[in-house]
Amino acid sequence: MKIMNLQWLYFTLFISLLQMVGIATISASQAPWISKIKPLTGSTLTVTPENAHQSLRRAIKSAKKSILMEIYHLSDPDLIQDLIDAKKRGCAVQIIFDVRALTNPKYMDFFKQLAQAGVGVVQSTSKFSITHSKTFLIDGDLLFVSTMNFVGHFQNMRDVGIFTREPEVIRDWVTLFKADLKNAKDQSA
């Protein structure tokens, strides 16, 4: 996968998010490149604090086969329990955490809890100064991409995320996740 294609993909997601919430009303006459952006089908917007983490929890609870996650911070006890429950249901659960998140003493109990339940927990490669992703994929066909950390104190935070079933977006995200997982395991970039 070319980096430029991935950058274009995320830019497309970003503009789509802005258009969905009515912030962006860019037309092709204002910006000719806008015609290259295609609408995301089967996509749903979620926001905090209004939607809390309920849509995330429903998605995780719906998992039948697998959950792949790349996250900067995860400390919401309900989401952690949902991930553990998914593992108990027989789902393969793999999480890539930011380097600093796994070494922060205030989060250690959460990581130990996940690891003891058999959830795959790895530290992102130290070659990146930060792994700021906030994404997960359910059963290979429902992708969540967002600005939100999965923390317990979301009630006072404005964040947005989008669920999509767009095959091209999912395919590119899986390619990125696999590369990040390999890099995390061998600490390369």
Side-chain angles (χ1 to χ4, degrees):
M1 170 178 42
K2 295 179 182 172
I3 293 297
M4 192 56 138
N5 289 342
L6 190 58
Q7 289 170 339
W8 184 254
L9 166 74
Y10 283 116
F11 180 72
T12 300
L13 278 171
F14 175 71
I15 293 298
S16 295
L17 272 171
L18 293 178
Q19 290 175 332
M20 286 175 75
V21 296
I23 295 172
T25 54
I26 301 168
S27 70
S29 63
Q30 294 168 310
W33 51 264
I34 201 81
S35 63
K36 293 181 181 178
I37 296 176
K38 60 183 181 177
L40 295 175
T41 57
S43 300
T44 306
L45 186 72
T46 189
V47 296
T48 60
E50 290 84 354
N51 301 127
H53 284 161
Q54 293 311 308
S55 58
L56 284 66
R57 295 191 68 207
R58 274 192 304 276
I60 291 168
K61 288 178 179 184
S62 76
K64 304 215 180 335
K65 299 180 292 185
S66 64
I67 300 171
L68 304 177
M69 181 180 286
E70 189 164 21
I71 186 67
Y72 183 65
H73 284 299
L74 170 63
S75 63
D76 181 330
D78 293 330
L79 287 173
I80 290 166
Q81 188 59 54
D82 293 340
L83 291 163
I84 291 169
D85 291 346
K87 180 64 181 171
K88 288 178 183 176
R89 284 193 312 272
C91 290
V93 182
Q94 179 66 61
I95 306 173
I96 303 171
F97 286 98
D98 180 66
V99 163
R100 286 181 298 272
L102 274 180
T103 57
N104 185 328
K106 78 178 182 182
Y107 298 120
M108 292 307 295
D109 286 341
F110 297 124
F111 304 130
K112 287 178 186 173
Q113 190 180 0
L114 288 163
Q116 287 172 349
V119 171
V121 175
V122 297
Q123 166 185 305
S124 63
T125 179
S126 58
K127 304 292 183 190
F128 297 138
S129 63
I130 190 171
T131 297
H132 211 241
S133 301
K134 292 124 176 165
T135 61
F136 63 81
L137 181 66
I138 303 293
D139 294 337
D141 68 358
L142 180 62
L143 178 64
F144 183 67
V145 178
S146 75
T147 63
M148 64 184 75
N149 288 305
F150 306 154
V151 294
H153 59 275
F154 59 83
Q155 298 85 352
N156 299 320
M157 300 170 76
R158 166 63 78 212
D159 280 306
V160 296
I162 188 169
F163 284 96
T164 186
R165 294 185 183 278
E166 187 70 35
E168 184 177 336
V169 174
I170 291 171
R171 184 180 59 245
D172 287 349
W173 185 88
V174 168
T175 301
L176 177 66
F177 185 87
K178 286 179 179 178
D180 286 353
L181 185 60
K182 178 191 176 303
N183 292 341
K185 288 182 176 180
D186 64 19
Q187 288 299 298
S188 62

